[in-house]
Amino acid sequence: MKIVVLVKHVPDAQFDRHITGSGNTTDRDESILSELDEYALEAALQLAEEHGGPKAGNEVIALSMGPSGAVNAVKKSLQIGAYSGVHLSDDALAGSDAAATSLALAAAIRHISADGRPVDLVLTGMASTDGETSLIPAQLAERLSYPQVTFASSLEVAGNQVTARRDAGAFSETVEAQLPAVVSVTDQINEPRYPNFKGILAAKKKKIASLSLSDIGVDASQVGLAGSWTVVESAEARPPRTAGTIITDDGDAGIKLVDFLAAQKLL
Amino acid sequence: MANALVFIDNPGAALKKSSLELLTIARSLGETAVAFTGELNDDVAATLGAYGATTVYLPSEEDLDNYLVGPKAAYLAAAVASSGATAVLLDNSPEGKEIAGRLGIKLNAGVITDVVGVEADGTAHKSVLAGSYNTTAKATTPVTVLSVKANNVEPSPVGAAAAPATATIEVPAGAIANSARIAARTEKPVSGRPDLSEARIVVAGGRGVDGDFAPVEELADALGAAVGASRAATDAGWIGHDAQVGQTGVTVSPQLYISAGISGAIQQKAGMQTSKVIVAINKDAESPVFEIADYGIIGDLFKVLPQATAEIKKRKG
Ligand SMILES: Cc1cc2nc3c(=O)[nH]c(=O)nc-3n(C[C@H](O)[C@H](O)[C@H](O)COP(=O)(O)OP(=O)(O)OC[C@H]3O[C@@H](n4cnc5c(N)ncnc54)[C@H](O)[C@@H]3O)c2cc1C
């Protein structure tokens, strides 16, 4: 099986995050591998292992699109266990919305398939932890004409079919699709492994391919702010919430709480 | 020719409040049509008319629900073409967003998700980065696709209106072949409490409830509220995963969010900090949740919640 895992380099949510400059894009200093992508990577590694690992011809390729720093998301993925990495980077990609991002990623996946071994499965996290739109899996599937399975909380591949469980909404569902497919996984699916010392050493020997737009046959006008179908016209930092009244319970805090709710007309 | 097309997916016997909100927003954009799936009964048709829909489209295929989003997106794209609509409005549910995403690619249309307000020219307002920024965004394409969060407008009917016309839309033949099929589906038990994502009040419990959600549930019932939880509480199996509020759970924006025994980690805050009023009960004065609470109580939830519940019952008589 040839599995591509999409990994994104995102601003660390533990720090203040900022929208800056023209085009109102997110400041990417202090970025890390989006933690929701670790579940997709773990799912890919488990699938590959269940199917005989690298010796049986399985591949787990971590693919990241983003500026030079984004290669760190690929490196971290290799330390965790991805077999090889691909970094798609081009100045023209800056500011891409989901539509433009999915266009570039679809082209990158076609490129990765073009070595005679087509990609079977594209795995992603349930959302990036910065944009949080969850649009990429759906838009990528649409562009590649693959079925999509989203929010998988379990995953199996047998022969040419992927079977997943989904727990979203009012139903629990079992879903089946033919490969090749795009599958996004939730944070319920597994416990991602950490890189260990051996993994960190091994990662140094693994290959990271660098791709530019011309390598994947995409024109600069199709991506970035120019190729996006949406613009962010303004972005204003919300005043941070300030702490209100804090009381210590002296035995009547429940009653004071009801007084507060009544005063706020919330009863 | 319609200006706005609202997607209403299998509502059953009555329209959800969030659909009425979408119809109300659509009217402010111009003439409204509806792309409907499921059974259109007379009551639902009359309500659609009362909310200003002039045409209701129905799909030629009945089993769209047996597949994940692909065929619905294809149906909706065909309905956009028939109606001539330049704005498409959908629910902001995970499925609504995915249909929006696929539709956007089919129509070469910009998609904006998590919308909380729409202006007459289609400019959308949303908050990003876990509620730390308010942004306005716009599609630069002829058609705009918007998935809109619930609870941001008051639904209002136009008054007495004619029942809308209906028209059938041919679902493109190839749409089903390339989609994931739902092989089995079980409905989860319903609680009788308001839906978490739409509730006006949410009472949420965390690891601090130590396995016992009763005080949280009792306060929720006294307030007519939905019950939420932190991931620590859902992971422990004390309550279903559906109750999880936060980055990887449900995002809520109610009038009142009561947080009990929750520390207020960034991933939890991401799902609730746009609530109008936040109340926190926690025995640790250092908990980060107190940084964002309008009213914080340093205390034991097992004492504070039952006392508040009893007091509310007393005052309501
Ligand atoms: C990828 C990822 C996604 C995540 N997504 C989410 C998400 O969507 N939602 C979410 O909530 N978390 C999420 N988390 C987890 C999050 O980081 C925290 O671990 C979690 O929110 C902690 O839950 P808690 O506040 O209930 O538990 P704790 O942090 O353990 O806090 C329990 C609190 O209860 C208080 N307490 C204990 N007993 C009492 C008592 N008797 N009375 C009053 N107070 C008491 C304690 O003082 C403490 O502050 C995610 C984490 C990751 C890594």
Side-chain angles (χ1 to χ4, degrees):
Chain A
M1 235 187 314
K2 186 167 180 176
I3 308 173
V4 171
V5 185
L6 301 185
V7 293
K8 192 174 183 190
H9 194 54
V10 298
D12 189 341
Q14 301 295 340
F15 303 109
D16 281 345
R17 294 178 289 178
H18 301 285
I19 295 177
T20 50
S22 70
N24 293 310
T25 53
T26 313
D27 181 351
R28 293 190 178 275
D29 290 346
E30 315 263 15
S31 286
I32 55 166
L33 168 61
S34 179
E35 57 190 349
L36 296 177
D37 295 340
E38 294 183 19
Y39 298 89
L41 181 56
E42 179 63 39
L45 294 171
Q46 287 184 14
L47 278 177
E49 284 155 12
E50 282 159 21
H51 288 80
K55 288 196 187 83
N58 291 292
E59 288 184 68
V60 176
I61 304 165
L63 165 62
S64 189
M65 164 182 145
S68 57
V71 79
N72 291 327
V74 180
K75 286 184 179 157
K76 174 89 186 282
S77 305
L78 297 180
Q79 293 175 349
I80 294 172
Y83 303 3
S84 67
V86 176
H87 178 209
L88 171 61
S89 187
D90 204 299
D91 289 345
L93 287 166
S96 295
D97 71 351
T101 302
S102 64
L103 182 131
L105 289 172
I109 287 162
R110 286 192 202 101
H111 178 89
I112 294 170
S113 283
D115 63 359
R117 293 200 65 212
V119 169
D120 296 297
L121 198 55
V122 179
L123 286 179
T124 79
M126 61 190 281
S128 67
T129 57
D130 54 349
E132 286 191 89
T133 64
S134 298
L135 284 176
I136 293 298
Q139 296 208 316
L140 187 60
E142 181 70 31
R143 290 197 184 275
L144 292 168
S145 300
Y146 289 1
Q148 83 187 59
V149 176
T150 46
F151 301 104
S153 57
S154 78
L155 192 60
E156 272 169 50
V157 173
N160 210 23
Q161 177 171 291
V162 44
T163 305
R165 262 209 33 208
R166 307 203 326 152
D167 240 339
F171 300 99
S172 296
E173 294 165 340
T174 307
V175 176
E176 296 167 353
Q178 295 301 308
L179 299 182
V182 176
V183 178
S184 77
V185 306
T186 73
D187 59 339
Q188 303 289 306
I189 192 168
N190 54 41
E191 256 331 304
R193 65 192 73 175
Y194 290 107
N196 56 25
F197 184 64
K198 221 175 111 203
I200 292 168
L201 279 186
K204 297 202 170 126
K205 298 201 191 93
K206 294 177 181 170
K207 282 206 197 78
I208 300 179
S210 297
L211 297 179
S212 66
L213 285 181
S214 62
D215 294 323
I216 59 170
V218 169
D219 192 83
S221 65
Q222 294 173 278
V223 294
L225 294 172
S228 290
W229 295 338
T230 55
V231 279
V232 179
E233 294 189 319
S234 69
E236 271 171 50
R238 241 176 125 100
R241 283 193 91 103
T242 44
T245 315
I246 308 228
I247 63 163
T248 301
D249 184 18
D250 291 323
D252 61 351
I255 291 161
K256 287 188 180 147
L257 170 55
V258 179
D259 288 339
F260 170 80
L261 297 181
Q264 298 280 324
K265 304 203 162 36
L266 287 164
L267 278 189
Chain B
M1 291 289 266
N3 305 90
L5 183 69
V6 176
F7 181 55
I8 297 182
D9 196 9
N10 213 346
L15 293 178
K16 285 194 297 185
K17 177 163 170 274
S18 58
S19 301
L20 302 180
E21 293 176 18
L22 292 182
L23 291 163
T24 305
I25 294 172
R27 258 188 4 247
S28 70
L29 302 173
E31 192 178 325
T32 304
V34 167
F36 195 89
T37 71
E39 198 199 333
L40 178 65
N41 68 34
D42 291 348
D43 281 356
V44 169
T47 310
L48 292 173
Y51 277 80
T54 52
T55 311
V56 177
Y57 295 103
L58 300 164
S60 60
E61 300 276 341
E62 277 175 10
D63 66 344
L64 301 186
D65 270 341
N66 296 335
Y67 299 88
L68 288 188
V69 310
K72 287 180 185 167
Y75 157 58
L76 193 49
V80 175
S82 285
S83 65
T86 52
V88 184
L89 303 182
L90 306 91
D91 258 3
N92 199 56
S93 63
E95 185 171 34
K97 289 202 266 189
E98 285 169 16
I99 295 170
R102 290 194 87 124
L103 181 67
I105 302 298
K106 285 183 192 294
L107 300 175
N108 289 352
V111 180
I112 304 170
T113 57
D114 301 321
V115 172
V116 297
V118 184
E119 289 173 31
D121 70 348
T123 301
H125 296 267
K126 61 185 276 184
S127 83
V128 299
L129 296 179
S132 57
Y133 278 81
N134 290 328
T135 61
T136 58
K138 213 175 160 170
T140 55
T141 47
V143 177
T144 303
V145 180
L146 303 172
S147 69
V148 185
K149 287 190 165 183
N151 269 341
N152 285 295
V153 290
E154 220 23 76
S156 69
V158 277
T166 57
T168 302
I169 296 283
E170 219 39 60
V171 179
I176 284 177
N178 253 334
S179 291
R181 195 176 71 86
I182 296 168
R185 171 186 273 155
T186 47
E187 198 164 351
K188 295 179 192 161
V190 281
S191 70
R193 296 197 177 93
D195 182 56
L196 184 56
S197 60
E198 296 186 7
R200 211 177 69 86
I201 302 179
V202 174
V203 184
R207 201 191 309 270
V209 308
D210 200 16
D212 180 8
F213 258 79
V216 170
E217 289 172 349
E218 282 157 17
L219 178 59
D221 291 341
L223 288 165
V227 171
S230 73
R231 179 167 157 189
T234 58
D235 278 358
W238 300 336
I239 186 165
H241 175 59
D242 293 347
Q244 184 182 315
V245 171
Q247 183 192 28
T248 55
V250 181
T251 310
V252 299
S253 202
Q255 296 291 314
L256 170 64
Y257 188 87
I258 300 181
S259 156
I262 298 178
S263 58
I266 179 81
Q267 296 92 347
Q268 157 73 206
K269 280 192 206 163
M272 49 65 86
Q273 69 177 346
T274 57
S275 304
K276 195 97 179 290
V277 174
I278 296 174
V279 169
I281 300 115
N282 194 303
K283 58 184 188 190
D284 176 7
E286 302 297 318
S287 279
V289 70
F290 286 127
E291 293 162 13
I292 59 165
D294 299 290
Y295 195 77
I297 297 171
I298 303 164
D300 185 343
L301 72 91
F302 289 101
K303 299 205 173 98
V304 178
L305 298 191
Q307 188 178 50
T309 305
E311 181 68 15
I312 291 165
K313 285 188 179 152
K314 196 170 100 195
R315 291 196 195 182
K316 287 191 171 166

